[in-house]
Amino acid sequence: MERPECDEINFLYKAHIRELFAYARHFGFSKEVAMDAIHDVFCRVIAQKEQLSEIRNVRAYLLQSLKNRLLNIYKSEVSTVELPTGNDSDELPFTLEVTIEDVMIQQEEDEKIRRKVEKLLQSLTDRQREIIYLRYMQELEYEEIAKIMNITEPACRKLVHKAIAKMREVGVTVILLCLYLNF
């Protein structure tokens, strides 16, 4: 059985590995060097785990630690090669490219959200779907929606509230709906 500290480090690793890897790759490092640098960062975290409690934003700490480790790797590599003029050895070249893998992952995540939202919307009545559409997709005020739907403003608010309550029963949050509808 793993020790509690190992569980915490394992959780941190699993929670941040993708974004750390992507960040390292944007600096132009190979997959192997990126993973080695990430593993170096986590070895350092394990060695200094008592200092973790002082860190306010673990994600920012990991990204900064990774960048520092990559900078050290970069400096050791360029010390054997002459630097082009204008390149400061304290700066890493950073590229921002969207890879097919990034697009595929995003599309997969978007598809999951879309299916959840469709399930959510199917659970609503026609009027509830209409009012959610007007409120969150068209970003209309309650007064405007009330006029369109020919109901009073308090009835409009109540209908929105009921639709939101029904969505919560289905298990999809309104935040998820808003994120999807605003894409």
Side-chain angles (χ1 to χ4, degrees):
M1 184 170 169
E2 291 186 43
R3 297 186 319 245
E5 302 92 30
C6 293
D7 288 341
E8 293 170 3
I9 301 298
N10 193 24
F11 173 79
L12 285 176
Y13 181 84
K14 287 179 180 178
H16 297 284
I17 185 63
R18 279 186 157 178
E19 65 187 317
L20 291 171
F21 182 74
Y23 187 59
R25 293 286 288 155
H26 287 299
F27 286 111
F29 288 94
S30 69
K31 292 177 183 179
E32 295 79 17
V33 172
M35 287 306 294
D36 286 345
I38 292 167
H39 292 152
D40 291 346
V41 167
F42 277 93
C43 286
R44 185 169 173 245
V45 166
I46 291 168
Q48 299 174 347
K49 63 182 172 262
E50 57 277 346
Q51 293 177 353
L52 274 181
S53 61
E54 299 171 13
I55 299 169
R56 289 189 179 167
N57 185 336
V58 174
R59 182 173 160 251
Y61 172 81
L62 291 172
L63 288 168
Q64 180 63 47
S65 297
L66 179 58
K67 183 175 181 180
N68 290 340
R69 180 65 189 121
L70 292 170
L71 185 57
N72 289 339
I73 292 169
Y74 179 71
K75 285 180 181 179
S76 71
E77 287 177 356
V78 296
S79 67
T80 59
V81 178
E82 188 175 316
L83 288 174
T85 52
N87 191 0
D88 184 0
S89 65
D90 287 337
E91 292 293 322
L92 290 170
F94 188 85
T95 60
L96 189 54
E97 298 174 8
V98 178
T99 65
I100 292 176
E101 183 179 286
D102 293 336
V103 171
M104 289 173 57
I105 290 170
Q106 187 60 48
Q107 287 174 342
E108 188 176 300
E109 290 172 3
D110 290 348
E111 180 62 24
K112 286 179 187 176
I113 292 171
R114 188 189 62 74
R115 284 193 302 266
K116 285 181 180 180
V117 170
E118 282 180 359
K119 178 182 176 185
L120 166 77
L121 293 174
Q122 289 172 358
S123 72
L124 301 177
T125 66
D126 290 336
R127 288 178 61 80
Q128 288 172 331
R129 277 193 295 274
E130 180 182 6
I131 205 160
I132 292 297
Y133 171 81
L134 293 171
R135 180 73 179 134
Y136 296 104
M137 287 186 75
Q138 297 300 319
E139 299 177 345
L140 297 177
E141 298 297 322
Y142 289 107
E143 182 181 339
E144 297 167 319
I145 297 169
K147 286 180 184 175
I148 291 170
M149 295 185 71
N150 199 25
I151 57 177
T152 65
E153 190 174 332
C156 180
R157 290 179 184 276
K158 187 175 180 178
L159 189 56
V160 168
H161 177 73
K162 281 185 174 182
I164 291 170
K166 194 167 190 178
M167 287 187 279
R168 285 187 182 136
E169 288 175 15
V170 173
V172 180
T173 64
V174 176
I175 294 170
L176 181 64
L177 175 69
C178 292
L179 286 173
Y180 177 74
L181 295 179
N182 286 328
F183 279 114

